[in-house]
Amino acid sequence: MKDFDEAYAKHADAVFRYALRLVGRRDEAEDLTSETFLALHRNIAGLDLSQLPGWLFAVARNKAMDYWRHSKVEARYLDTLPPPETTWSPPLQMWLSESKALKPIHRACLILRYVHGMTREEIGGQLGISDVQVKGHLQYARALLRAEMERKAP
Amino acid sequence: MSPEQPAPWPDYEPDEVAFLEAGGGPGRSCPAPELLFPAQEGALPARLQSRIAAHLEHCGLCQDLLLATTDLPAAGLTRIERDRIRSRIAGSDRSESRGQSWRWWLRPALLLTAAGTLALVAGLWTVRTVTPGVTPAVPAQPAIALAAPSVPSVLRFERAPLPAENDALLWRSGRVEAVDETSRELARAHEAYRRGDFAAASHGFGLVAKLRQDDPLVHLYLGVSELHRHRFSEAVLELSTAQRLAGRDRTISSEAAWHLGYVFHRNGERERAIATFEDLCRGTTVRSALGCAAALELSRGAQDARR
């Protein structure tokens, strides 16, 4: 039990972050983390603890595969995909892609807000920051991009 | 952004609208962002994987988003989430060790009971349908009344032999002192349950339930005791709690579901009873067969009543 508690204290955050990236939803990531550590709890006696955290990540990935393979989840996402031949991009997307001034956090906030139409709360949930922080990043990023557009305007 | 609930286009502020107009308007030609990382990890099913991989190959924006979010230090678990996961694991551990102590005889016993009930239901159905020249009478009671004898028989079976906690059994056998007062109270409640004194059993299980609030078995027995006392709303509350706490322990959760369906039936809530039995019917436990039979009989009863 001591080994398990130590492993949980040490790796729970990393496993959760990985799970969140794998399934994209905080509630699902919590379930996935829970199942992963439950598997560790059941197998810890026969496990070489030097295999951690790799073993945990492998279990989390397998469980994420199970989640995505659930027929309803797959069908829902297949229905929402753009057609494979879609190559059209609005001008804003090109600006976002080509800008050199944007930092990763700014680019991520802009894409999620203006390409995917997410709310500030949803963006915060996706990136792990507050919606107030998202608002600040968006304001700053818009100013940066506007300045770049004006500089490059013919 | 989940595809099951397409988010309404956000209410942009005036500054955002001006920005979008200057940039040529928003676009939505990319797949949901939560698909990008699993696609990169190869965790998606084949069809989805190939579609997202093909999109990622030519979409600079999605590549940017993937890179941008990979670089970000995503927030870890909150304290509440961390504690919730830890308690789920602890709960599972408890229910596993508890289950091992009594399920070895409960499972085959329930299987036998289920088989007996099904045989009874099938026999009655056969008698009703094959007797020549006799018009089946419309039952005065709901059709579950046909199956009803099986329900008390299950409950009778559970009263003796009674699955008791290990420490309670040891205390009753006189081999060791009960670990604490809660264990003694639990043993007394089981004893009362065994002899059919459901008022005393209900009182005892109620005391223990206050101390072991997360123990699904205690709530299950409390709910069944309340059922015997015809206190249906109390029974529903306790059995629902047992079902919720049982989580993935299918033995306990299906026991709770079965009794819950029976309480609804006894309380005249036919639709809720059918829904509960149908849910149970989808499972794979020995109670599932009983759930299917009960749902079928109740549905037939409803059809008869409509005619």
Side-chain angles (χ1 to χ4, degrees):
Chain A
M1 201 61 189
K2 189 181 165 223
D3 287 341
F4 175 81
D5 284 338
E6 280 176 4
Y8 185 71
K10 195 171 173 185
H11 303 301
D13 265 330
V15 170
F16 176 77
R17 285 194 192 100
Y18 183 64
L20 185 57
R21 300 295 314 281
L22 281 170
V23 293
R25 288 175 52 163
R26 209 169 174 91
D27 55 344
E28 291 292 349
E30 186 184 325
D31 281 352
L32 208 145
T33 308
S34 173
E35 286 171 17
T36 301
F37 277 95
L38 198 55
L40 174 67
H41 189 262
R42 285 177 180 148
N43 294 289
I44 199 160
L47 193 68
D48 176 5
L49 294 180
S50 67
Q51 292 176 352
L52 301 180
W55 187 90
L56 290 166
F57 290 134
V59 173
R61 184 177 173 279
N62 287 340
K63 297 206 176 282
M65 289 170 81
D66 291 342
Y67 165 78
W68 286 110
R69 279 180 186 145
H70 196 281
S71 59
K72 282 182 183 171
V73 175
E74 185 184 10
R76 279 203 310 262
Y77 277 93
L78 278 171
D79 288 344
T80 60
L81 284 183
E85 68 277 11
T86 300
T87 53
W88 171 83
S89 297
L92 178 65
Q93 293 197 13
M94 285 187 278
W95 278 109
L96 286 173
S97 200
E98 288 170 11
S99 170
K100 300 280 188 289
L102 298 171
K103 288 182 180 174
I105 183 73
H106 300 138
R107 198 186 302 277
C109 286
L110 288 171
I111 294 173
L112 293 174
R113 177 85 170 146
Y114 303 120
V115 176
H116 291 283
M118 291 170 77
T119 64
R120 285 194 285 267
E121 288 77 13
E122 286 171 335
I123 297 170
Q126 190 93 14
L127 303 180
I129 54 180
S130 73
D131 55 326
V132 177
Q133 286 175 301
V134 173
K135 188 174 182 178
H137 286 312
L138 283 170
Q139 278 176 346
Y140 184 68
R142 284 199 305 270
L144 282 177
L145 208 55
R146 264 204 194 101
E148 201 168 354
M149 284 176 186
E150 284 168 10
R151 268 202 313 276
K152 290 183 179 174
Chain B
M1 188 175 58
S2 167
E4 60 205 309
Q5 293 179 309
W9 202 247
D11 292 331
Y12 289 128
E13 292 171 2
D15 186 54
E16 293 184 294
V17 174
F19 170 75
L20 283 169
E21 284 171 357
R28 273 191 157 191
S29 59
C30 296
E34 61 264 33
L35 292 170
L36 302 179
F37 185 73
Q40 191 186 41
E41 288 284 291
L44 295 176
R47 280 172 68 202
L48 208 47
Q49 178 74 34
S50 64
R51 295 280 297 275
I52 305 300
H55 179 91
L56 257 173
E57 205 171 304
H58 72 72
C59 180
L61 213 61
C62 284
Q63 290 167 15
D64 286 350
L65 183 61
L66 192 55
L67 279 176
T69 49
T70 304
D71 286 348
L72 292 174
L77 289 160
T78 63
R79 190 183 184 86
I80 293 172
E81 287 166 339
R82 178 180 281 271
D83 291 347
R84 200 158 50 207
I85 293 173
R86 192 66 187 85
S87 61
R88 259 188 239 169
I89 293 164
S92 165
D93 188 32
R94 273 200 304 275
S95 63
E96 272 176 19
S97 59
R98 183 170 47 239
Q100 283 160 8
S101 68
W102 56 274
R103 271 185 228 147
W104 65 271
W105 62 263
L106 183 63
R107 284 181 192 277
L110 286 173
L111 189 60
L112 283 173
T113 311
T117 305
L118 282 177
L120 180 65
V121 170
L124 286 168
W125 184 81
T126 309
V127 168
R128 276 206 310 167
T129 52
V130 303
T131 308
V134 176
T135 308
V138 176
Q141 296 291 320
I144 190 71
L146 291 172
S150 69
V151 178
S153 75
V154 172
L155 293 178
R156 262 202 305 276
F157 176 77
E158 283 173 355
R159 291 208 299 272
L162 193 70
E165 299 276 6
N166 280 345
D167 47 5
L169 281 172
L170 290 170
W171 178 70
R172 284 200 311 109
S173 67
R175 275 184 279 165
V176 294
E177 289 290 313
V179 177
D180 55 20
E181 184 52 37
T182 311
S183 304
R184 283 193 202 96
E185 193 59 62
L186 187 62
R188 281 193 284 268
H190 279 306
E191 204 68 63
Y193 187 97
R194 179 193 287 272
R195 63 175 187 269
D197 183 353
F198 296 112
S202 178
H203 176 72
F205 285 127
L207 289 175
V208 178
K210 283 179 188 160
L211 299 166
R212 296 190 185 176
Q213 292 178 1
D214 60 349
D215 189 333
L217 261 184
V218 174
H219 289 280
L220 174 64
Y221 278 99
L222 179 53
V224 176
S225 301
E226 297 289 23
L227 167 60
H228 278 286
R229 300 174 71 200
H230 295 206
R231 289 160 50 111
F232 295 132
S233 48
E234 286 84 357
V236 167
L237 181 70
E238 294 305 327
L239 292 169
S240 304
T241 305
Q243 200 177 17
R244 177 172 51 79
L245 293 173
R248 291 181 184 167
D249 188 324
R250 289 182 299 173
T251 304
I252 297 179
S253 68
S254 63
E255 283 300 305
W258 167 257
H259 288 102
L260 198 54
Y262 185 61
V263 175
F264 289 140
H265 161 61
R266 291 287 303 273
N267 204 28
E269 298 176 75
R270 193 203 299 259
E271 295 306 317
R272 290 180 81 183
I274 291 174
T276 307
F277 286 134
E278 281 177 344
D279 272 348
L280 182 61
C281 177
R282 291 187 196 103
T284 53
T285 65
V286 288
R287 280 292 192 196
S288 301
L290 286 168
C292 298
L296 187 67
E297 288 300 321
L298 272 179
S299 302
R300 281 184 186 156
Q303 285 167 4
D304 289 346
R306 276 195 290 276
R307 279 187 213 126

